[in-house]
Amino acid sequence: MPQTWYVTFEVHKRGTLPKRRSPRETRTFESEAEARAFAREKFSEGLIVFAGTLNPFLPRRLIPSSDIPSWIEQDRGEEVGGHDDKRDPEK
């Protein structure tokens, strides 16, 4: 499965470096669920996080840092609601 999602997060400064590095790092993921889980982890560390889909994946999505809290909570709501409905055949 191709990498379709990315999560970019700020990197903590660690001492002085001989050459300047980017203050951000990006990781790619095969699914939105994997990207969300990773973003949740970095966000809980207090880091600034952005996420989105990679080109040419459609539909294109960009989740700015201001929307990350609600985006990572969507996953928890879907897990709880989705699993309960599947376990109870009467729902």
Side-chain angles (χ1 to χ4, degrees):
M1 190 172 189
Q3 305 291 315
T4 57
W5 279 85
Y6 71 89
V7 174
T8 298
F9 57 98
E10 68 179 348
V11 178
H12 291 295
K13 294 180 182 179
R14 297 181 190 168
T16 57
L17 300 172
K19 66 179 193 178
R20 193 173 179 177
R21 289 197 289 171
S22 171
R24 295 189 181 141
E25 189 174 323
T26 300
R27 302 264 174 94
T28 58
F29 302 91
E30 292 181 355
S31 70
E32 183 175 2
E34 291 173 322
R36 231 182 231 152
F38 183 78
R40 182 181 299 113
E41 178 184 316
K42 293 302 177 186
F43 184 75
S44 69
E45 292 175 18
L47 301 177
I48 297 172
V49 179
F50 297 83
T53 54
L54 295 166
N55 287 333
F57 185 76
L58 295 174
R60 290 186 183 135
R61 295 210 30 217
L62 172 64
I63 295 86
S65 61
S66 59
D67 293 344
I68 288 292
S70 62
W71 180 65
I72 61 178
E73 288 304 314
Q74 283 177 2
D75 187 41
R76 290 181 183 202
E78 290 171 7
E79 283 179 7
V80 172
H83 289 290
D84 288 343
D85 290 345
K86 290 177 185 171
R87 283 188 217 152
D88 187 356
E90 300 206 7
K91 284 189 176 182

